[in-house]
Amino acid sequence: MSRLPQLLQRSFLDQFGRLTRSATSLRARIRDKVGQTADVAPEAQSTASAKITRVTSAPEGECIYAIGDIHGRCDLLERLIAEIEQDAASLPDGTHVTIVFLGDYIDRGLQSRNVIEFLLSDRLQAFETVFLMGNHEEALLKFFDDESFGSQWVRFGGGETLYSYGFQPPNTRGSLGSHEAMAAVRLAWSKLWNAFRDRMPPEHLAFYQSLKPSYCAGDYLFVHAGLRPTVAMEKQSTRDMLWIRDEFLDDTRQFPHLIVHGHTPAEGVYRDNRRIGLDTGAFLSGKLSAVKLFGEDVTFLTT
């Protein structure tokens, strides 16, 4: 293997390591808060306390709802869409309504396949829809092309997606005990990989392959993870848009657009003068969140 593919593989796995650390941290924070916030109204937990001075606008005559990371929680998605449908019914006649999905539809939750089927169903036909790529969809596509990636993918939520498609990942415990055990695991992964490729619904594969890295509307730019500060939009890398975390979150400089993103889980949605974060750890917390952008108004919906 040449040095470049090795470096790319290492980068991909390093990013997955960061992802699992963030999920572990979220679990710990939620566990520590159990029993502490039961009497607090959801609205009081949903937004950050940063002072908002920046005025931004959605396109005239359009209302945009953006939904954070779903991670295989079709039950929460159905509830949130019902809330959006009810909310959109109160909009002025003639308002164009768009729903932007920020990626990470699958993994970690056992209803991953159900989420994709819901998104492809007629339920959303009343809305214009925009589907962005998340790093977990990138991982599924990587496994679809490379059977050796399966054992890595299942460590970070891919096992739940495989289960949802009717597959049980091979048990790798004890596989290092002998060459025969290792060979048996490799053979099991090879069989699963071929069956997964054969049985993947064509419309699901087309959906995964059609996902966009970003979307811009009015004063907002929608992306799964974030952007690299100081880099012009036309020079941003897809990898950063799917994976970036600290370099984006910890910076204080504003972008030309307000960034609406997911990817980094938190107890509640976050808003300041440069970004809106919508990943509220749905797969674990039971909270799937969305932002409503209409005119200059910014409001939130959470299951």
Side-chain angles (χ1 to χ4, degrees), residues 56-64 217-220 293-297:
T56 50
S57 299
E60 185 175 356
E62 182 176 4
C63 180
I64 302 175
D219 294 328
Y220 301 98
L293 308 169
F294 186 49
E296 295 180 355
D297 295 335

Side-chain angles (χ1 to χ4, degrees), residues 23-89:
T24 301
S25 176
L26 176 64
R27 289 189 183 94
R29 293 197 302 273
I30 292 176
R31 183 180 61 247
D32 292 343
K33 286 179 176 290
V34 170
Q36 298 179 19
T37 60
D39 296 327
V40 180
E43 292 79 8
Q45 303 178 50
S46 63
T47 56
S49 58
K51 183 178 180 180
I52 307 301
T53 59
R54 184 176 183 178
V55 178
T56 50
S57 299
E60 185 175 356
E62 182 176 4
C63 180
I64 302 175
Y65 298 90
I67 297 178
D69 303 36
I70 301 165
H71 278 305
R73 290 299 302 269
C74 194
D75 55 335
L76 301 181
L77 175 60
E78 292 182 14
R79 286 167 51 189
L80 187 57
I81 292 299
E83 291 185 33
I84 290 175
E85 289 172 333
Q86 183 176 3
D87 186 85

Side-chain angles (χ1 to χ4, degrees), residues 208-221:
Y208 294 125
Q209 293 174 331
S210 70
L211 299 175
K212 302 177 180 180
S214 64
Y215 176 72
C216 187
D219 294 328
Y220 301 98
L221 192 145

Side-chain angles (χ1 to χ4, degrees), residues 79-137:
R79 286 167 51 189
L80 187 57
I81 292 299
E83 291 185 33
I84 290 175
E85 289 172 333
Q86 183 176 3
D87 186 85
S90 65
L91 293 169
D93 291 343
T95 302
H96 183 75
V97 182
T98 300
I99 302 180
V100 180
F101 294 86
L102 297 176
D104 278 6
Y105 313 100
I106 60 170
D107 289 1
R108 301 196 183 279
L110 289 169
Q111 300 168 341
S112 291
R113 175 174 180 158
N114 303 76
V115 168
I116 305 305
E117 291 176 346
F118 180 88
L119 296 176
L120 293 174
S121 72
D122 294 336
R123 181 65 183 276
L124 302 176
Q125 63 183 356
F127 307 103
E128 180 179 348
T129 52
V130 177
F131 299 106
L132 300 186
M133 171 81 77
N135 55 300
H136 282 265
E137 287 75 51

Side-chain angles (χ1 to χ4, degrees), residues 3-276:
R3 180 169 177 76
L4 181 57
Q6 288 178 330
L7 291 174
L8 291 175
Q9 177 80 350
R10 185 179 305 166
S11 173
F12 194 87
L13 297 180
D14 287 345
Q15 296 285 11
F16 257 117
R18 292 185 184 182
L19 175 65
T20 196
R21 287 193 295 273
S22 72
T24 301
S25 176
L26 176 64
R27 289 189 183 94
R29 293 197 302 273
I30 292 176
R31 183 180 61 247
D32 292 343
K33 286 179 176 290
V34 170
Q36 298 179 19
T37 60
D39 296 327
V40 180
E43 292 79 8
Q45 303 178 50
S46 63
T47 56
S49 58
K51 183 178 180 180
I52 307 301
T53 59
R54 184 176 183 178
V55 178
T56 50
S57 299
E60 185 175 356
E62 182 176 4
C63 180
I64 302 175
Y65 298 90
I67 297 178
D69 303 36
I70 301 165
H71 278 305
R73 290 299 302 269
C74 194
D75 55 335
L76 301 181
L77 175 60
E78 292 182 14
R79 286 167 51 189
L80 187 57
I81 292 299
E83 291 185 33
I84 290 175
E85 289 172 333
Q86 183 176 3
D87 186 85
S90 65
L91 293 169
D93 291 343
T95 302
H96 183 75
V97 182
T98 300
I99 302 180
V100 180
F101 294 86
L102 297 176
D104 278 6
Y105 313 100
I106 60 170
D107 289 1
R108 301 196 183 279
L110 289 169
Q111 300 168 341
S112 291
R113 175 174 180 158
N114 303 76
V115 168
I116 305 305
E117 291 176 346
F118 180 88
L119 296 176
L120 293 174
S121 72
D122 294 336
R123 181 65 183 276
L124 302 176
Q125 63 183 356
F127 307 103
E128 180 179 348
T129 52
V130 177
F131 299 106
L132 300 186
M133 171 81 77
N135 55 300
H136 282 265
E137 287 75 51
E138 182 188 54
L140 179 145
L141 290 173
K142 182 175 178 62
F143 174 62
F144 197 85
D145 290 334
D146 178 7
E147 67 179 83
S148 68
F149 186 65
S151 59
Q152 298 293 334
W153 182 34
V154 296
R155 291 173 53 199
F156 305 100
E160 289 85 344
T161 296
L162 288 172
Y163 277 118
S164 76
Y165 278 97
F167 298 96
Q168 181 172 342
N171 185 353
T172 59
R173 292 184 179 180
S175 64
L176 299 179
S178 67
H179 292 294
E180 291 79 8
M182 293 175 63
V185 168
R186 285 195 298 268
L187 178 60
W189 269 114
S190 182
K191 290 181 177 179
L192 186 153
W193 180 72
N194 282 289
F196 181 68
R197 287 170 56 89
D198 289 342
R199 290 163 50 185
M200 168 67 71
E203 61 273 19
H204 286 212
L205 180 60
F207 173 83
Y208 294 125
Q209 293 174 331
S210 70
L211 299 175
K212 302 177 180 180
S214 64
Y215 176 72
C216 187
D219 294 328
Y220 301 98
L221 192 145
F222 304 84
V223 66
H224 176 64
L227 298 178
R228 185 164 295 280
T230 74
V231 176
M233 183 60 203
E234 62 272 13
K235 295 184 179 180
Q236 294 281 341
S237 70
T238 299
R239 178 154 296 279
D240 278 337
M241 287 188 279
L242 299 185
W243 286 101
I244 198 168
R245 185 164 279 131
D246 294 343
E247 298 92 334
F248 165 68
L249 300 176
D250 295 342
D251 203 272
T252 59
R253 289 165 289 189
Q254 294 185 14
F255 294 89
H257 293 81
L258 191 75
I259 309 303
V260 182
H261 68 95
H263 184 57
T264 299
E267 290 91 343
V269 297
Y270 179 86
R271 180 190 178 194
D272 63 15
N273 289 311
R274 61 189 295 269
R275 67 182 182 89
I276 294 174

